[in-house]
Amino acid sequence: MTALFLRDLRLSIRAGGGALIGILFFLTVVAVIPFGVGPDLALLSRIGPAIVWIGALLAALLGLDRLFQAERDDGSLDLMLMQETPLVLTVFIKCAAHWTATSLPLVIASPLLGLFMNMNETAIGATMLTLFVGSPAITFIGAVGAAVAIALPRGGLLVSVLILPLTIPVLIFGVSASYAAVVGPAPFLPPFLILIALTLFFAVIGPAAAALALRNTAD
Amino acid sequence: MSETSLAISKFSDLANPTRFLALASRIIPWLAGITALCFIIGLYLSFSTEGDYQQGETVRIMYVHVPAAWLSMMCYTIMSISAIGTLVWRHPLADVSAKAAAPLGAAFTLLALVTGSLWGKPMWGTWWVWDARLTSVFILFLMYLGLIALNRAMDEPSKAARVTAILILVGFVNIPIIKFSVDWWNTLHQSASVLRLDGPAIDPEFLHPLLIMAIAFTLLFFTLHLMAMRNEIWRRRIASQRRMAARMASREE
């Protein structure tokens, strides 16, 4: 399992530069917003956490369709279906590797974007913390979409359409936790704990549903 | 044979599409007739009752809005049950049922959104707010459209059905969120007033037409659902016969 994790990690960092493109996309999305709403620093600092979250969400969706596609193309997906380790576990490890390669860099890059958005230290810290806790949920939900998409000839866009509605709860609680840390009066902890609960919940049903979908589409 | 196994064998008898078609063609006229009757009574009652003392005539929108909203959730629940039927028992009609229900669900959800918007303008002074109930129903609408798109994107019906079924089940998470959104988040949309543990908090004068309209809408759904399932089965038969004819033609050449 460690070998699979490292293999996936190495592949996604070297081949095609998935991690780097993700950060670049994240940067671009966030940089486009001030052009849209105007360079008002007070407004930007108010909507900053939401913008960083949306940017991270879109960037996380960007590389998702490749989660199983390459394996299907070169045939190693069939090996994974046949091996003795439960497929759910394999999918879980692949998700973890994908998260480390693409979402973790986004989390690390988020303070820089927070500075662009004129957010203060507490807001940056809170946004980074909520992103760290919430982004695995997006990866696990996305794994279902990626597994479904390998049955489609060109599934990339459809995956985003199918997956985005399901990620809205994560977005809601992530953003409300980061707002709560900055402006109050609502406490930070309840939405943050719900965010953790969402991540744990999707860590269970995401890989299970994705494994089911892979078995059904492979035939 | 015990009673349960008898019931199960009756249920699996329906797996034979020909038997299902025979049953459907016998049920559909009756169901359509009762639906029309319920709509006549329900519409008569909903137009003959007094307007609300606060909301005036606009309260009549409720008689369409509330049943449509209920059905948008019931339809997804039926799709989820069908999805379990597809994945667990491989019941051949379950995927037909899920596929036929999706456009109906999308239509009822759209109806609920549109009537809610028409009702919201005079009552709340706005067409749309980002309230918890409204937003979650809007997401439901997007999910219906996504599922329809996914099902259409694949050629092979059985494979498409299984993949769609998985996504239907994952999306079922949204249904309790919609149901309880008005209780969890205290926003603009009023909280539940009919289906409550301590009895309905709504005047019987409004409740009776509402319930009859709800029954009428439910029957309408089942009528349309059966008709759509029948069409889907015929469509698949035609497709398979065309394929067979093409194979025969290529063999003759």
Side-chain angles (χ1 to χ4, degrees), chain A residues 26-130:
Chain A
F26 186 29
L27 204 71
T28 320
V29 168
V30 175
V32 161
I33 305 285
F35 292 105
V37 299
D40 178 4
L41 280 182
L43 176 69
L44 283 182
S45 72
R46 199 161 57 79
I47 59 176
I51 292 171
V52 173
W53 252 96
I54 292 172
L57 177 64
L58 294 178
L61 288 178
L62 190 66
L64 264 178
D65 56 329
R66 278 193 309 212
L67 189 52
F68 303 111
Q69 195 70 55
E71 269 79 6
R72 182 188 160 84
D73 291 346
D74 67 8
S76 48
L77 183 68
D78 293 328
L79 292 179
M80 282 173 193
L81 286 171
M82 279 188 285
Q83 69 188 349
E84 277 175 20
T85 24
L87 187 59
V88 180
L89 196 63
T90 314
V91 172
F92 183 85
I93 298 290
K94 282 185 72 65
C95 289
H98 186 263
W99 179 80
T100 319
T102 56
S103 294
L104 194 60
L106 298 180
V107 178
I108 296 168
S110 62
L112 178 68
L113 297 168
L115 281 179
F116 282 179
M117 290 288 126
N118 194 32
M119 285 151 65
N120 60 24
E121 289 82 4
T122 345
I124 291 176
T127 308
M128 195 176 165
L129 192 62
T130 50

Side-chain angles (χ1 to χ4, degrees), chain A residues 138-159:
Chain A
I138 296 169
T139 309
F140 288 127
I141 301 169
V144 186
V148 164
I150 61 167
L152 302 168
R154 282 173 300 277
L157 192 60
L158 191 55
V159 172

Side-chain angles (χ1 to χ4, degrees), chain B residues 30-183:
Chain B
W30 285 99
L31 214 53
I34 301 170
T35 309
L37 196 70
C38 281
F39 263 113
I40 292 168
I41 299 171
L43 285 174
Y44 172 75
L45 277 181
S46 43
F47 277 106
S48 62
T49 48
E50 301 269 305
D52 188 54
Y53 75 101
Q54 260 184 332
Q55 307 195 345
E57 295 296 315
T58 57
V59 77
R60 300 191 204 288
I61 298 174
M62 176 181 77
Y63 301 129
V64 176
H65 173 70
V66 175
W70 280 343
L71 275 191
S72 70
M73 284 189 269
M74 188 190 83
C75 184
Y76 200 92
T77 313
I78 286 178
M79 281 170 69
S80 305
I81 296 168
S82 306
I84 296 173
T86 305
L87 291 175
V88 178
W89 298 292
R90 303 270 160 117
H91 197 282
L93 283 182
D95 60 320
V96 177
S97 157
K99 191 179 180 190
L104 293 173
F108 280 120
T109 315
L110 185 65
L111 185 64
L113 285 170
V114 170
T115 51
S117 179
L118 290 174
W119 199 6
K121 184 63 186 162
M123 288 302 109
W124 298 340
T126 169
W127 296 107
W128 181 260
V129 282
W130 290 96
D131 153 274
R133 172 60 69 85
L134 274 67
T135 315
S136 53
V137 173
F138 184 58
I139 294 167
L140 181 68
F141 181 60
L142 291 182
M143 274 172 18
Y144 275 125
L145 296 186
L147 289 170
I148 296 170
L150 177 66
N151 206 321
R152 298 246 165 109
M154 277 177 274
D155 319 320
E156 200 190 318
S158 64
K159 197 187 215 176
R162 272 175 282 154
V163 171
T164 317
I166 293 163
L167 218 63
I168 291 173
L169 287 181
V170 174
F172 189 70
V173 183
N174 196 19
I175 295 296
I177 295 180
I178 297 174
K179 177 73 192 75
F180 296 109
S181 57
V182 282
D183 305 323

Side-chain angles (χ1 to χ4, degrees), chain B residues 190-209:
Chain B
Q190 65 158 341
S191 51
S193 50
V194 178
L195 293 172
R196 289 190 353 170
L197 284 178
D198 51 349
I202 179 172
D203 195 86
E205 191 196 337
F206 298 116
L207 185 62
H208 291 153

